[in-house]
């Protein structure tokens, strides 16, 4: 049983890992002995994240990548394989949110959300999957959301994109099970991050959000780590196509 949840020496890519929940995944996975390949849009923020994770003792590489660019994504995957020899897991975390009324959202804003959240998820899964197919092994963890299942105000584009991520996860698991590639997703609930800092700063909004959560509190990014380690580990060897809601019970309602 001791090694059931071990991810020691596993090579894991985390996208959007210069800050927020992605950086927490990077810290947490590194803390369990994984080797990390980090990428994000902004080189300076990313360098700081890399330095922090490396200072904690992990083997970690990093390079700026826009997840919507096939060339940049493929280049980063090639760099990761050149550095570590293989990729055991991908955490498809990069994501964006715009709050707009449906009647005011522009076509460009709509495309921006779908491009990062859906196209980016596909491009990274495809590039990493091609490597995993060669080895007949791998785990992909996409990041969905309670918005995959629930309607949230002012988030039509975001909810649509995250619903797509959940079904993408199911469908890719169906396609790549034959290669022993497991594809799952984590659907976080309300988790403290820059994405919702403005909402949390408003006491009335904050209290209403917390009141919707049966466990009675906002989530911390650390609350997602146990599920992430599990999905990357041998303990999840027969788990594929699933979206695990880590939301304090929010989607019970
Ligand atoms: N916070 C929550 O309550 C919550 C709940 C459910 C799901 N999620 C999901 O969890 C993930 C992380 O969210 P978060 O709260 O940590 O958000 P965040 O603090 O905004 O972090 C997202 C990161 O992704 C990067 N990114 C955005 N577009 C990118 C692109 N085209 N290429 C590469 N990197 C890009 C961002 O870089 P820039 O700063 O340059 O934009 C940022 O560093 C997202 O998929 C989000 O949808 C969050």
């Amino acid at each position: 049983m001791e090694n059931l949840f071990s991810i020691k020496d596993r090579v894991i890519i985390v996208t959007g890992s210069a800050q927020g929940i992605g950086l927490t995944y990077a810290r947490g996975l590194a803390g369990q002995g994984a080797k990390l390949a980090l990428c994000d849009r902004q080189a300076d923020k990313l360098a700081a994240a890399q330095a922090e994770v490396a200072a904690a003792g992990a083997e970690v590489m990093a390079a700026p990548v826009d997840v919507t660019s096939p060339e940049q994504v493929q280049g980063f995957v090639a760099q990761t394989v050149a550095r570590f020899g293989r990729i055991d897991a991908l955490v498809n975390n990069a994501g964006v949110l715009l709050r707009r009324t449906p009647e005011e959202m522009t076509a460009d804003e709509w495309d921006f959300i779908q491009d990062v959240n859906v196209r980016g998820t596909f491009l990274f899964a495809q590039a990493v999957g091609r490597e995993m197919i060669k080895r007949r092994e791998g785990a992909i963890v996409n990041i969905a959301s309670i918005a995959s299942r629930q309607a949230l105000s002012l988030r039509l584009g975001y909810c649509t994109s995250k619903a797509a991520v959940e079904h993408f996860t199911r469908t890719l698991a169906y396609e790549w099970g034959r290669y022993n590639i497991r594809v799952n997703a984590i659907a976080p609930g309300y988790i403290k991050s820059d994405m919702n800092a403005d909402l949390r700063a408003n006491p009335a909004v904050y209290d209403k959000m917390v009141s919707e959560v049966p466990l009675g509190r906002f989530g911390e990014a650390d609350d997602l780590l146990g599920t992430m380690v599990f999905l990357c580990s041998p303990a999840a060897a027969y788990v594929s196509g699933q979206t695990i809601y880590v939301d304090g019970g929010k989607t019970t309602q």
Side-chain angles (χ1 to χ4, degrees):
M1 292 297 277
E2 200 178 306
N3 294 326
L4 203 48
F5 293 89
S6 173
I7 54 165
K8 188 164 165 28
D9 293 330
R10 294 211 165 190
V11 178
I12 304 180
I13 291 178
V14 186
T15 72
S17 43
Q19 69 170 51
I21 298 174
L23 178 54
T24 300
Y25 292 140
R27 285 191 197 108
L29 294 167
Q32 297 297 307
K35 299 176 181 175
L36 272 294
L38 309 182
C39 64
D40 206 308
R41 257 195 307 220
Q42 299 180 44
D44 48 347
K45 271 195 321 185
L46 184 64
Q50 180 186 17
E52 186 204 313
V53 175
E59 222 180 304
V60 52
M61 60 165 274
V65 174
D66 180 336
V67 300
T68 66
S69 159
E71 296 75 24
Q72 291 184 33
V73 170
Q74 286 160 21
F76 183 74
V77 168
Q79 268 180 273
T80 306
V81 173
R83 164 77 186 263
F84 292 121
R86 63 179 201 284
I87 300 164
D88 296 305
L90 164 68
V91 178
N92 243 334
N93 168 78
V96 291
L97 167 75
L98 293 176
R99 287 192 290 269
R100 298 281 187 277
T101 62
E103 60 274 24
E104 282 170 347
M105 174 172 274
T106 67
D108 285 347
E109 288 171 340
W110 178 270
D111 287 348
F112 168 67
I113 298 171
Q114 311 312 319
D115 276 358
V116 178
N117 297 1
V118 185
R119 175 187 164 100
T121 295
F122 160 66
L123 289 176
F124 246 107
Q126 182 187 56
V128 170
R130 286 173 176 158
E131 294 299 324
M132 290 174 168
I133 286 170
K134 294 179 197 162
R135 298 178 48 241
R136 295 291 195 271
E137 186 173 14
I140 294 173
V141 183
N142 299 316
I143 304 302
S145 165
I146 51 173
S148 301
R149 183 187 288 182
Q150 291 191 320
L152 301 176
S153 187
L154 300 178
R155 298 172 183 85
L156 178 65
Y158 184 75
C159 289
T160 303
S161 74
K162 291 298 185 177
V165 168
E166 180 161 356
H167 199 51
F168 172 89
T169 298
R170 201 177 285 123
T171 306
L172 192 60
Y174 177 71
E175 291 281 8
W176 283 354
R178 76 197 71 174
Y179 302 123
N180 192 32
I181 299 172
R182 300 181 297 102
V183 188
N184 293 291
I186 293 177
Y190 295 147
I191 305 292
K192 290 178 190 165
S193 84
D194 277 7
M195 217 173 239
N196 47 47
D198 58 333
L199 301 179
R200 284 182 289 117
N202 179 331
V205 174
Y206 180 79
D207 289 349
K208 178 169 182 306
M209 290 174 85
V210 168
S211 75
E212 295 167 0
V213 181
L215 286 181
R217 65 174 175 86
F218 233 90
E220 305 288 339
D222 280 352
D223 287 318
L224 305 169
L225 281 179
T227 308
M228 180 59 74
V229 171
F230 164 65
L231 288 175
C232 293
S233 78
Y238 202 54
V239 180
S240 197
Q242 303 306 305
T243 294
I244 301 182
Y245 282 72
V246 185
D247 64 355
K250 169 84 171 71
T251 44
T252 55
Q253 300 303 299

